[in-house]
Amino acid sequence: FFFLLRRTMAPPSKDKFFQGEEGVLAVYDIDYEKAFDFNYDLTKNSSFMVMIHPMCWPALPFVCCFVNSSMFRDNIDDKIRAQHVAITRDGIKYVTDRHKTGCRMDCQDQGKVSKTVPFDKITDCDVEEPAGASGPCCCMVQNTLTTVNVDTASGSRGDGVGGGGHELTLQGLIDPHQFKKDVWSMKRGEGIQGSAVVDPVSASMGMDRSTEPTVEMTKAKSSSFFGGGKSAAPSATSDLAPLMVENNSLLKEQNSILQKILAKK
């Protein structure tokens, strides 16, 4: 619940998607050009490999035209550039913004999707360096993107965002190691460069920011709890006085009844 500001400033990010959004501590750039080159080649080769099956041969001319069209390239580029990653006070925030798909008609738009992974739920955050190749056999594409895998204790390992069976998979981050470092730093409650130190448990509970305790509120509560405030004693006396009077009257009535019972015996 306490915030300790650091004097150091984080390097500026080129991604302005989260600009002006409350609670964002750091934004991490994605190498969109590099990610596009990899995903374009991978998707194109995968589309051509489907045409090997004889049942798909009648659609081969259409697939060839579509794969080599600007529409195909624009769809992949839009999907890549719609991805945005940031660390907030609540956790890792991954957003896929609205973008065009298919024939790029308005009715085929993919809606905006946002996901936040709380710091206190994270059990693993590792960087996977690119190696080997991906895609169908005979036309594989060399892996060139660094991958960051984020796992949680309660997360489903079958349909995580980004694929791979993880809670969150991020590909193409320009500085994945700094991202990993900041995630663990926030999980330990140490804060990150140019941000405030936040208790990860309280932040992940998603408490209402309008009711966050300030230093003045904390002092006031501590003062009233220990009786240090000037108004603590009068307030307590005024509240307890009626109860004490009522309690005394009940005790007197009880004693009177007991005396009557004893007198009869």
Side-chain angles (χ1 to χ4, degrees), residues 43-54:
T43 306
K44 182 177 65 175
N45 291 354
S46 299
S47 300
F48 282 137
M49 284 300 297
V50 175
M51 295 296 101
I52 293 179
H53 198 283

Side-chain angles (χ1 to χ4, degrees), residues 24 30 96 161:
V24 175
I30 298 175
T96 301
V161 176

Side-chain angles (χ1 to χ4, degrees), residues 78-93:
D78 288 351
K79 183 178 180 179
I80 296 298
R81 294 184 182 276
Q83 301 177 81
H84 308 277
V85 183
I87 283 183
T88 69
R89 294 169 54 188
D90 302 319
I92 303 172
K93 186 170 185 178

Side-chain angles (χ1 to χ4, degrees), residues 3-253:
F3 301 88
L4 304 175
L5 297 178
R6 296 175 179 263
R7 294 183 179 179
T8 55
M9 297 300 293
S13 172
K14 296 180 181 179
D15 190 352
K16 305 301 180 183
F17 179 81
F18 297 100
Q19 190 171 13
E21 184 171 334
E22 183 182 1
V24 175
L25 304 181
V27 179
Y28 301 86
D29 292 323
I30 298 175
D31 193 337
Y32 292 123
E33 288 75 15
K34 192 174 183 179
F36 168 78
D37 293 338
F38 172 77
N39 283 277
Y40 175 76
D41 292 339
L42 180 63
T43 306
K44 182 177 65 175
N45 291 354
S46 299
S47 300
F48 282 137
M49 284 300 297
V50 175
M51 295 296 101
I52 293 179
H53 198 283
M55 296 291 294
C56 299
W57 287 354
L60 182 61
F62 171 77
V63 173
C64 292
C65 292
F66 180 73
V67 168
N68 290 282
S69 66
S70 60
M71 185 186 304
F72 182 77
R73 297 179 61 91
D74 291 342
N75 286 345
I76 297 177
D77 189 57
D78 288 351
K79 183 178 180 179
I80 296 298
R81 294 184 182 276
Q83 301 177 81
H84 308 277
V85 183
I87 283 183
T88 69
R89 294 169 54 188
D90 302 319
I92 303 172
K93 186 170 185 178
Y94 173 77
V95 178
T96 301
D97 202 10
R98 179 173 178 173
H99 58 278
K100 296 289 184 181
T101 63
C103 296
R104 302 184 67 80
M105 300 174 63
D106 292 341
C107 61
Q108 295 178 308
D109 284 0
Q110 180 67 47
K112 178 180 177 180
V113 178
S114 178
K115 179 182 180 68
T116 299
V117 182
F119 295 118
D120 65 324
K121 301 296 183 183
I122 296 175
T123 58
D124 199 5
C125 179
D126 284 328
V127 177
E128 181 181 342
E129 301 291 345
S134 299
C137 58
C138 302
C139 54
M140 304 185 75
V141 179
Q142 191 71 24
N143 292 324
T144 57
L145 301 179
T146 302
T147 303
V148 177
N149 297 315
V150 179
D151 294 317
T152 61
S154 58
S156 173
R157 301 185 65 85
D159 56 353
V161 176
H166 300 278
E167 180 70 26
L168 182 63
T169 299
L170 306 173
Q171 286 188 320
L173 287 178
I174 293 179
D175 196 350
H177 296 283
Q178 183 63 45
F179 174 80
K180 174 184 176 180
K181 179 181 177 181
D182 291 345
V183 168
W184 287 119
S185 181
M186 288 297 296
K187 182 174 175 63
R188 292 190 297 267
E190 299 174 357
I192 58 178
Q193 188 179 34
S195 69
V197 178
V198 183
D199 180 7
V201 177
S202 61
S204 300
M205 290 172 63
M207 62 181 180
D208 187 1
R209 290 178 174 81
S210 62
T211 60
E212 289 179 356
T214 61
V215 176
E216 290 75 9
M217 292 172 60
T218 305
K219 289 181 178 179
K221 290 182 179 180
S222 300
S223 177
S224 62
F225 181 80
F226 292 104
K230 294 181 179 180
S231 61
S235 176
T237 303
S238 61
D239 292 338
L240 293 176
L243 297 176
M244 294 175 65
V245 172
E246 183 179 358
N247 188 40
N248 289 336
S249 63
L250 291 174
L251 289 174
K252 290 180 180 179
E253 184 179 355

